[in-house]
Amino acid sequence: MAAKEQFEEEEKKRKGNFWIWMVLSVIFRIVMIYFPNLNLSSRPEVSTPLTSIHRLAEGYWLKQSSMSPYAGSMYHGSPLLLSLLGPLTVKRIEGQPDHLLCSFAFVVADVLSALLIRAVGQNLQRAYYRNLRLLKVNLSKNSEFFPAGDIASLVYLWNPFTIVACVGLSTSPIENLAIVLTLYGASKGQVPLAAFGFVVATHLSLYPIILIIPVVLLLGNGLDAPPRKLFLQRSSSRVVVGPSRDSCSQQEEVINQSEVPNGFSLRPVMYFLLWVSLFSVYLLLLCGVSLKQFGGLWEMFRSTYGFILTVQDLSPNIGVLWYLFAEVFEFFRDFYLIVFHINILFMITPLAVRLHHRPLFLAFVLLSISAMLKSYPSVGDSALYLSFMGLFVYELVDLEFSFFLFCGYIGISLLSPVMHNLWIWRGTGNANFYFANAMAYACFQIVLVVESVSTMLNHDRKLRKLSAVRLS
């Protein structure tokens, strides 16, 4: 009884600490919003042609002037985002920073994303403990005191990438919220919520469409678990085999078989596709009504998805495509466009086959790959996949080069504004300075993805060995 009371007291204390850190993160963001002369919204690492609040304000002004928001090649986002955030860009409070209301909206989006990530982590950790109990495997005695959901949530709230994306008036927090909502709905089995988040996320930035694979696996298989054959092996080994089988042994077989995780369920997947179709039609109708006087849906597709796929804006960012297409011959441009975009699609199938039993981890890997290879990446994309990495803090505890990667991310973050300043403002460098920094950043992301997948597979092999030892 005393141990139980002590555990409940520690649980209450831990929850209190989480809320304290969350409130402090909100206060820190508000202080940074009021901090003068930061000018983070002009940084190419923070704002891209798709996420810049200044471009959104320009598009809203054009629409209010009875012109197409896509005129002049400034705005390339969703017309619905104009209706939601556009009015906040023109409202000014005397004596307060510009776009203050937009900043508060992004703070709220960050908090909601963190809470949803925490809920996903709690569900994932409960499923993780349940599977370990079924396999009779005990990996860590103290893991209960450090919940992965709280860790991932605080990583998202206190990640410098998340903070600068919020304070820098990037629309990345809105896109991240839609992605997190998708995975939260899928992990909880709430099909309409998952479909709504998926449609909104895909509409805002197109690349989340690759998350349909992990979402389908989440709905069909459930949360991440060790390979199903481990449970089948343990269940079959505990069945009494002999010439005569009494009622007790039959009951034991039924119990053992009920412990085995269910196979793939097609019904929630069909419901998900149905809801996605309904929400897509409804969203397209809203966009069609919003752009009825400005070219309709075709104008939206050309200026949003066409802009993303053809990489028309070659302004510098933390990605690698802008430099490549600035240097490549025009004759080869279409070929390289196909290669880069199909490269993402080619990775989906082998990863889905190898990690089908861990759909949330697969989502983390796909988010990392899209953040690395998308046309207009920003630090907000990196903030999302780094927070999802926190959900697997115990599976990835043996991650190699972790200190090297940590120092690399810090170094790249510090060098990027320096290289940009040497190139653009001081004139003592050239584009190669900034592009070398972007190449190093891409290399660190590649190492992170490769080592994370390798560590997770090694973790599954460790569970297989421990389960085999228990059976023997």
Side-chain angles (χ1 to χ4, degrees), residues 20-81:
I20 290 174
W21 282 105
M22 172 169 281
V23 172
L24 289 177
S25 70
V26 174
I27 294 175
F28 183 74
R29 281 167 167 78
I30 294 175
V31 171
M32 293 289 288
I33 289 170
Y34 279 92
F35 202 87
N37 301 324
L38 283 179
N39 294 325
L40 291 175
S41 59
S42 62
R43 297 299 312 166
E45 302 89 358
V46 178
S47 296
T48 68
L50 298 175
T51 62
S52 172
I53 195 67
H54 299 300
R55 288 178 177 254
L56 188 145
E58 178 72 16
Y60 183 73
W61 182 86
L62 290 172
K63 188 176 180 181
Q64 292 298 104
S65 302
S66 300
M67 291 185 288
S68 171
Y70 302 113
S73 189
M74 277 296 292
Y75 183 64
H76 300 282
S78 166
L80 300 183
L81 205 59

Side-chain angles (χ1 to χ4, degrees), residues 14 23 125 174 208 211 259:
R14 186 177 67 244
V23 172
Q125 196 164 25
I174 305 297
L211 293 178
E259 293 178 352

Side-chain angles (χ1 to χ4, degrees), residues 296-367:
L297 292 177
W298 173 249
E299 180 70 11
M300 182 193 74
F301 289 142
R302 185 184 63 83
S303 300
T304 55
Y305 304 145
F307 179 80
I308 294 173
L309 295 176
T310 56
V311 197
Q312 298 175 12
D313 193 314
L314 299 180
S315 55
N317 54 56
I318 60 174
V320 296
L321 269 67
W322 65 273
Y323 187 87
L324 174 69
F325 288 108
E327 297 293 332
V328 74
F329 291 110
E330 191 66 25
F331 178 78
F332 297 103
R333 180 180 174 85
D334 293 339
F335 170 74
Y336 280 105
L337 282 174
I338 295 173
V339 169
F340 272 94
H341 292 308
I342 295 226
N343 191 26
I344 300 178
L345 300 179
F346 279 166
M347 297 183 188
I348 296 177
T349 301
L351 287 172
V353 171
R354 194 65 183 87
L355 299 171
H356 65 91
H357 59 289
R358 295 194 176 272
L360 270 177
F361 183 76
L362 176 62
F364 152 71
V365 174
L366 294 181
L367 286 173

Side-chain angles (χ1 to χ4, degrees), residues 111-239:
V111 171
L112 291 177
S113 297
L115 292 175
L116 292 175
I117 291 173
R118 183 175 185 242
V120 172
Q122 291 172 346
N123 295 332
L124 182 63
Q125 196 164 25
R126 281 194 292 266
Y128 180 71
Y129 290 150
R130 182 174 63 252
N131 292 324
L132 290 185
R133 285 196 299 269
L134 292 178
L135 293 174
K136 305 299 182 182
V137 172
N138 185 16
L139 293 179
S140 176
K141 297 180 179 179
N142 298 323
S143 59
E144 296 178 325
F145 301 102
F146 302 97
D150 291 4
I151 294 174
S153 180
L154 292 178
V155 166
Y156 184 79
L157 286 174
W158 285 99
N159 192 327
F161 291 165
T162 315
I163 295 173
V164 299
C166 176
V167 178
L169 295 172
S170 169
T171 59
S172 296
I174 305 297
E175 299 175 4
N176 291 345
L177 176 59
I179 294 174
V180 174
L181 188 65
T182 303
L183 298 176
Y184 169 78
S187 65
K188 293 283 288 186
Q190 299 179 2
V191 177
L193 187 62
F196 174 77
F198 177 77
V199 170
V200 172
T202 304
H203 173 68
L204 291 178
S205 57
L206 183 62
Y207 286 96
I209 195 173
I210 65 177
L211 293 178
I212 191 171
I213 303 298
V215 169
V216 166
L217 292 174
L218 270 173
L219 294 173
N221 287 335
L223 287 165
D224 295 34
R228 190 168 182 265
K229 58 184 178 182
L230 292 183
F231 298 96
L232 293 173
Q233 180 182 2
R234 172 165 288 276
S235 176
S236 61
S237 66
R238 292 170 59 185
V239 176

